[in-house]
Amino acid sequence: MAVTTPPMTAAPELVRQRLQGKKVDAAGLIFRALLLLALLVTMAVLVVLLVEVLTGGWGVFTTRMGEFLTGKLGSSAARSGIAQGLRGTFFIGAFVVALAFPLGVGAAIYLEEYAPKSRFARFVDINIRNLAGVPSVVYGLLGFAIFVKALRFLTGPGSANGATVISAGLTLAILVLPIVIITAAEAIRAVPDSLREAGFGVGATRWEVVRSHVLPYASPGILTGTVLSLARALGEAAPLILVGATTGFLSEGAGYGLSTLQERFTAMPIVIYSWAGRPQPGFASNTAAAIVVLLAVVLLANAAAILLRNRYEKRR
Amino acid sequence: MADTSVEVAPFSVASLRGNPGRIRKEAAIRGVFFAAAALSIVIMALIVLTLARETYTFVSQVELAQLWSDGWFPRRALYDIRTIVVGSVLVTVIAMLVATPLGMGAAVYLSEYARPRVRGVLKPVLEVLASIPSVVLGFFALTWISPEIVQRLSDRASLFNLAAAGIGVGILTTPLVASIAEDAMGSVPKALREASYGMGARKVTTSVRVVIPAAVSGLVAAFIVGVSRAIGETMVVAIAAGASGGSLFSLNVFDRGQTMTAAMASLATGTDAVVGAGLTFQSLFFVGSLLFVLTLLLNVFADRYVRRVRQKY
């Protein structure tokens, strides 16, 4: 039986015209253009910001990069450096990694594996969501009252009066703890139940199932969340101000020894904050250069997290 | 036929219990994880307690006249709440005027229009923007937004002004709004869109009349979370609004100003500990309590809206 097929060349265009009418979809085009505009404006802001900061800080990097990275805070813009800021940020990161990560992942394991859907888990879940929404300055008040004042004998009994990198690290660890728990819990929730059941089926205890099945499977997701929260902690300034980070001169606070933990401190975001407020022109370029350094750290951490997640999403 | 009875080891309930060492270890591990989970409750309790204690001291000792004066000068015992609350409201309104169209627009584009490959490029860019520290945006607001945008809008704008700070906070809030809004639209089932196309609706009609109404609770939640974030944002305002020390009551967004958060930061900046006359220290906690209660209410409210979308689909 012979079937005559219509000529295919003109058909799709013809069909579309018949279906749509001959009108141009003006409203649709305008709507789409507006949406794209919103996205492009957002990106343009990011580009302008990066360009501004890079050009502003360029002079500092070309003329005195070594001195800038190793120098201390001072009154002269041409001689000030960020060594103490880098050191403070390093220790804050260390505290977050050492405290917030294990505690956060542990809490997530409890909520998802040991007591899912219990009344306790639901209560903790609501509580964590509320904690995640508390403004960072309020955490600064908590850190000030607990670590700087009440626990002064531990955090800095000497001249620093508790306003040390220990207090700062503990405060920021508490600040990011809810974020770590939420992201880790999401990653653990995504682990298929069949994996757990297989483990229980061969007689493993809950911890054995968690350790050798759930955590390895969820680890990329957990790692992504923890790296993002580390980046958040490194860029946070407001709680540090409340905890008493030094904004002016600082003679000490450049050493990396354990004994230096109880000295006065500053951190990269605080350096940027205090320099941004100074009217002398040299400090503007210093600020831009310090921002470039901070952004390099924060964006590298984020890029790592995003790459990690994309790879892991592809694998599924 | 051979005898089938075999010697059976005595079998009791005890042999079903397993290795006691293993059970003890299991219980200990469970206890550790429980402690980690309970820690978040302790933290919340500590926040509420520290805030409540100093706030009580402040409220019980402050005179009403000090709370309603010409401005916020805590070191001179003038705690005009009006000044900093109005400052916060102004900054938040400006921020949301920026963040709502940008964030929602970006979210609709990413969720309804962008092809997967385009989305794979654009989404990380938004995430990079979300990760930029607020001090950086504060510096940007002061050195670029203020001279290039705000001072062109108004000749009389000072370099430090609330409008620039508000725009900066808005840019900071945009990725957050976009991400929650996109999640909400992503959870609208495909069947709704297909039904709409099946009726012959255009893409724009489907987006505006079907997807957005279906996701409206999530979009409201995105807005509320954005407001809460904007109110709590500190560093952008502390750097770009430039009212260290204190501020007179003012409704002029082209002038210096103070928000609740920036007032706290500036009170704590540059001194060993917070010092000042009388109740200055306690005033810090009083403002902190206001902020805490306000953002908590907003977040609880937003959470309810998010749940509504989840329950529906």
Side-chain angles (χ1 to χ4, degrees):
Chain A
M1 201 163 102
V3 178
T4 48
T5 48
M8 283 304 289
T9 44
E13 200 43 49
L14 197 71
V15 170
R16 190 175 303 144
Q17 273 188 9
R18 285 276 156 78
L19 285 175
Q20 286 185 337
K22 295 223 170 70
K23 283 177 291 180
V24 182
D25 181 14
L29 283 176
I30 292 171
F31 184 64
R32 192 184 172 136
L34 281 177
L35 295 180
L36 200 56
L37 184 71
L39 206 55
L40 290 180
V41 167
T42 313
M43 303 207 166
V45 169
L46 183 63
V47 171
V48 171
L49 188 154
L50 293 178
V51 169
E52 274 289 297
V53 169
L54 280 174
T55 52
W58 191 249
V60 175
F61 287 117
T62 50
T63 54
R64 55 184 201 95
M65 184 150 126
E67 192 191 14
F68 182 71
L69 292 176
T70 57
K72 291 182 176 183
L73 296 175
S75 56
S76 144
R79 287 226 294 278
S80 295
I82 55 171
Q84 295 145 315
L86 284 173
R87 176 257 182 193
T89 293
F90 169 79
F91 274 122
I92 288 167
F95 269 97
V96 168
V97 171
L99 288 173
F101 288 8
L103 283 174
V105 175
I109 290 174
Y110 189 83
L111 296 178
E112 293 299 321
E113 296 293 321
Y114 284 83
K117 300 198 176 96
S118 65
R119 193 179 286 178
F120 174 77
R122 222 175 321 144
F123 180 65
V124 172
D125 187 59
I126 293 171
N127 187 41
I128 288 167
R129 276 173 207 291
N130 288 333
L131 275 181
V134 172
S136 57
V137 256
V138 176
Y139 281 98
L141 282 179
L142 177 74
F144 179 70
I146 305 283
F147 302 126
V148 179
K149 286 188 76 191
L151 297 177
R152 180 167 293 178
F153 62 94
L154 278 179
T155 54
S159 61
N161 272 330
T164 63
V165 80
I166 304 179
S167 303
L170 291 172
T171 307
L172 287 188
I174 288 183
L175 170 80
V176 298
L177 187 63
I179 312 170
V180 177
I181 299 177
I182 291 172
T183 49
E186 260 164 33
I188 292 173
R189 212 174 301 141
V191 177
D193 262 341
S194 55
L195 267 177
R196 295 187 186 92
E197 283 152 10
F200 289 132
V202 295
T205 61
R206 198 167 280 279
W207 165 240
E208 284 159 357
V209 167
V210 167
R211 192 191 55 197
S212 51
H213 289 73
V214 176
L215 283 185
Y217 194 91
S219 59
I222 293 178
L223 203 61
T224 311
T226 46
V227 172
L228 285 177
S229 59
L230 177 64
R232 161 95 196 266
L234 297 185
E236 202 60 72
L240 300 186
I241 295 177
L242 273 286
V243 169
T246 310
T247 48
F249 313 110
L250 189 60
S251 54
E252 52 198 358
Y256 281 81
L258 277 184
S259 59
T260 63
L261 285 179
Q262 292 185 334
E263 289 174 358
R264 303 183 57 78
F265 80 105
T266 190
M268 286 307 291
I270 298 293
V271 171
I272 294 168
Y273 168 57
S274 74
W275 281 352
R278 297 204 187 174
Q280 301 94 318
F283 277 109
S285 46
N286 272 2
T287 315
I291 287 177
V292 172
V293 175
L294 179 66
L295 277 185
V297 175
V298 171
L299 294 188
L300 270 182
N302 273 285
I306 291 172
L307 279 181
L308 205 70
R309 192 199 49 204
N310 284 358
R311 250 182 86 177
Y312 144 84
E313 272 178 356
K314 238 173 250 166
R315 215 183 56 196
R316 293 287 147 76
Chain B
M1 218 170 152
D3 188 7
T4 49
S5 75
V6 195
E7 197 68 19
V8 179
F11 192 79
S12 66
V13 181
S15 44
L16 277 174
R17 275 205 194 112
N19 182 347
R22 216 165 151 218
I23 295 172
R24 236 176 290 130
K25 187 179 163 204
E26 191 64 28
I29 289 171
R30 188 192 173 98
V32 170
F33 288 152
F34 174 78
L39 182 66
S40 68
I41 299 178
V42 176
I43 293 173
M44 185 56 114
L46 282 175
I47 291 180
V48 173
L49 278 180
T50 48
L51 286 180
R53 208 180 62 171
E54 305 294 350
T55 305
Y56 177 75
T57 321
F58 181 82
V59 172
S60 59
Q61 293 183 15
V62 77
E63 285 163 34
L64 229 53
Q66 287 174 294
L67 290 177
W68 198 271
S69 53
D70 299 327
W72 174 262
F73 296 98
R75 288 182 213 274
R76 284 195 268 140
L78 292 176
Y79 315 102
D80 183 36
I81 306 295
R82 203 172 41 137
T83 306
I84 53 174
V85 170
V86 165
S88 278
V89 169
L90 290 176
V91 165
T92 305
V93 167
I94 296 169
M96 293 321 286
L97 284 179
V98 173
T100 311
L102 290 186
M104 301 277 179
V108 176
Y109 189 84
L110 284 178
S111 135
E112 303 302 310
Y113 283 87
R115 261 174 248 140
R117 266 186 64 195
V118 179
R119 198 171 167 276
V121 178
L122 295 182
K123 190 118 204 267
V125 177
L126 269 185
E127 282 168 332
V128 166
L129 191 62
S131 69
I132 287 186
S134 54
V135 270
V136 175
L137 258 151
F139 177 74
F140 181 65
L142 177 62
T143 57
W144 196 83
I145 298 176
S146 177
E148 298 292 332
I149 297 179
V150 178
Q151 290 190 324
R152 286 186 188 180
L153 289 177
S154 159
D155 298 334
R156 277 168 297 161
S158 68
L159 180 62
F160 293 95
N161 60 66
L162 279 175
I167 296 173
V169 174
I171 292 167
L172 211 60
T173 318
T174 301
L176 183 72
V177 173
S179 125
I180 301 174
E182 201 211 335
D183 275 351
M185 281 184 292
S187 65
V188 173
K190 252 206 160 99
L192 280 184
R193 295 187 184 88
E194 280 156 4
S196 169
Y197 293 140
M199 301 288 288
R202 290 172 297 170
K203 186 110 194 169
V204 52
T205 317
T206 309
S207 300
V208 175
R209 307 276 280 277
V210 176
V211 180
I212 292 179
V216 73
S217 316
L219 301 183
V220 172
F223 179 80
I224 299 174
V225 172
V227 170
S228 159
R229 173 77 198 270
I231 291 178
E233 176 47 48
T234 309
M235 297 316 295
V236 175
V237 188
I239 293 174
S244 49
S247 169
L248 279 170
F249 179 79
S250 157
L251 283 169
N252 184 0
V253 293
F254 297 116
D255 209 350
R256 290 165 178 252
Q258 193 81 291
T259 62
M260 291 192 275
T261 50
M264 290 167 70
S266 80
L267 204 51
T269 301
T271 44
D272 259 5
V274 184
V275 290
L279 293 166
T280 309
F281 171 73
Q282 282 79 7
S283 73
L284 200 60
F285 285 80
F286 175 68
V287 179
S289 298
L290 272 185
L291 207 58
F292 175 76
V293 171
L294 206 59
T295 50
L296 191 70
L297 285 178
L298 286 171
N299 286 325
V300 169
F301 206 54
D303 216 41
R304 191 158 289 179
Y305 274 101
V306 171
R307 253 166 240 281
R308 202 180 286 175
V309 187
R310 264 194 221 134
Q311 270 166 11
K312 236 180 358 189
Y313 306 114

